[in-house]
Amino acid sequence: MAAVAKPQRSPRPGPRVVAVSNQKGGEGKTTTAVNLAASVAAAEHRVLLIDMDPQANASSSVGFPRGTVERGTYELLVGSASLADVIRTTELAALDVVPASSDLAGAEIELAQCESPQTMLAQALAPLRSGALADRYELVLIDCPPSLGLLTVGALVAADSVLVPMQAKYFSLEGLGALQGTIAQVRAAYNPELAIEGILFCMYDPRTNLSQQVVREVRDHFSGLVYETMIPINVRLSESPSHGKPALLYDIESRGAQAYLELAREVLARMEQRA
Ligand SMILES: Nc1ncnc2c1ncn2[C@@H]1O[C@H](COP(=O)(O)OP(=O)(O)O)[C@@H](O)[C@H]1O
Ligand SMILES: [Mg+2]
């Protein structure tokens, strides 16, 4: 039997900060950040979802469509707004969001001119660890862009751990390898405690041999880190964002919504094990 990864104690006070990351696009990051955040909130744990992707899909998926956000992640990063200024409430009582404003699109280039762009998000999130917002959230989920640029690195520097959504496809394995390299670099330079929270298979179709083979390979390499829950392909998960809702508010009976509720139970159980 594969050894179970030793649960790592959260090294810092405050909420568990988890970056949802994979530099490959279309692997299920945003769908996972939004629906996991909503599912943990539905279990009455307070969650903050932070949209670090200039495409702002996570923001629109919880009711803040592109172009409607005046102050968000960009303003937080550059210090023109405080964390309290940019937090917005959502339809779910336990879920708040820091949406992406349109200025985030130019942030990657702009941040490169700053003195220490890698640590700007970590600094901006300090009030979650000590200060006015210290006891407000149990979990913070950061939706990362599909690249390994400064926005993603900033999220990895600010995070306790990385949750990696991936498809069970051959090229997704390459993406996982590249992310591992980035995690190693961030650990060495900025954040030695950065852990892998878990690896999640998204849009999973168990009928193909290849997908089963990919899952087996990833389980062999990352024993204990792959979630038992796998997210099936489900049309409700792709429809709900255009309604500005997480899947559980759009169709709670759908297989997609149910899979993310199951994932939330698994994520919360790992968090409790660690506490
Ligand atoms: N389990 C799923 N079933 C069906 N469609 C999905 C599922 N997960 C994601 N999608 C769709 O696939 C596309 C890419 O997913 P997304 O979460 O945006 O990926 P990423 O953020 O990694 O680029 C989106 O259109 C999304 O609605
Ligand atoms: Mg995305």
Side-chain angles (χ1 to χ4, degrees), residues 29-30 53 143:
K29 286 180 291 296
T30 301
D53 186 351
D143 186 31

